[in-house]
């Protein structure tokens, strides 16, 4: 699915629900690459509202496989900022949903349904209660803290 290239680091983030493509985040800043099984690639561009340089740190296909949610973190700003965005489809642009406070970093953990994302928020330079899980609603952009603490894994039941 992904061509072998010894000069390239593999950064595959997620397999599509139908198994026909993967999303990877290494290469061009602010760009996701979608690689299709035995076929072409497409790209998703970060929203134009993201200032400066930013690296994509996590990406997840929606449950129906038609969109991708991803987190970006600033690389060229004096303070660390992070954003969450969702692609408008499987190619082209994306929409910014959330911007962090200074020195807060987001990771997209999972889609909980068609309009809810589970995010991990991490505070940089923090000594106590640095991590939390947050549910973000795509329709309202409402962010609700779900839990505090250090999280090792997330497990979901699978249909038989």
């Amino acid at each position: 699915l992904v061509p072998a290239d010894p000069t390239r680091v593999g950064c595959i983030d997620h397999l599509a629900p139908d198994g026909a493509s993967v999303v990877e985040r290494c290469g061009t800043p602010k760009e996701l690459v979608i690689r299709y099984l035995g076929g072409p690639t497409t790209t998703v561009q970060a929203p134009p509202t993201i200032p400066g340089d930013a690296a994509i740190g996590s990406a997840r296909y929606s449950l129906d496989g038609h969109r991708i949610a991803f987190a970006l973190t600033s690389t060229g700003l004096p303070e660390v900022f992070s954003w969450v965005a969702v692609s408008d489809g499987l190619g082209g642009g994306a929409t910014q949903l959330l911007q962090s406070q200074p020195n807060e970093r987001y990771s997209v953990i999972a889609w909980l349904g068609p309009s809810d994302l589970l995010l991990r928020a991490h505070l940089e330079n923090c000594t106590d209660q640095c991590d939390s899980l947050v549910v973000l609603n795509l329709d309202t952009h409402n962010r609700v803290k779900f839990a505090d603490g250090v999280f090792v894994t997330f497990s979901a039941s699978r249909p038989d």
Side-chain angles (χ1 to χ4, degrees), residues 111-133:
W111 288 74
L112 300 177
S115 61
D116 290 310
L117 294 174
L118 181 64
L119 309 174
R120 176 183 167 254
H122 173 76
L123 295 173
E124 300 286 319
N125 307 316
C126 173
T127 58
D128 188 40
Q129 294 188 353
C130 303
D131 294 284
S132 59
L133 289 178

Side-chain angles (χ1 to χ4, degrees), residues 92-146:
T95 302
Q96 178 184 326
L97 301 175
L98 183 64
Q99 178 178 319
S100 73
Q101 299 300 315
N103 298 315
E104 183 179 32
R105 191 181 298 247
Y106 292 126
S107 299
V108 177
I109 305 299
W111 288 74
L112 300 177
S115 61
D116 290 310
L117 294 174
L118 181 64
L119 309 174
R120 176 183 167 254
H122 173 76
L123 295 173
E124 300 286 319
N125 307 316
C126 173
T127 58
D128 188 40
Q129 294 188 353
C130 303
D131 294 284
S132 59
L133 289 178
V134 175
V135 175
L136 175 66
N137 182 276
L138 276 60
D139 299 327
T140 64
H141 299 203
N142 190 28
R143 172 188 151 156
V144 177
K145 187 183 285 188
F146 180 70

Side-chain angles (χ1 to χ4, degrees), residues 17-43:
D18 65 3
S21 63
V22 295
V23 62
E24 69 173 63
R25 59 182 164 82
C26 284
T28 308
K30 293 185 169 182
E31 182 178 82
L32 292 170
V33 176
I34 301 167
R35 296 191 179 277
Y36 293 91
L37 182 61
T41 61
T42 59
T43 59

Side-chain angles (χ1 to χ4, degrees), residues 2-83:
V2 178
D5 181 350
T7 64
R8 232 172 122 254
V9 175
C11 298
I12 296 171
D13 249 19
H14 202 215
L15 178 66
D18 65 3
S21 63
V22 295
V23 62
E24 69 173 63
R25 59 182 164 82
C26 284
T28 308
K30 293 185 169 182
E31 182 178 82
L32 292 170
V33 176
I34 301 167
R35 296 191 179 277
Y36 293 91
L37 182 61
T41 61
T42 59
T43 59
V44 172
Q45 305 300 317
T49 54
I50 308 296
D53 292 330
I56 297 174
S58 60
R60 298 290 178 266
Y61 279 95
S62 61
L63 299 174
D64 64 7
H66 295 153
R67 295 183 294 169
I68 299 171
F70 57 102
L72 301 101
T73 300
S74 63
T75 58
L77 299 175
E79 294 181 291
V80 172
F81 282 91
S82 189
W83 301 269

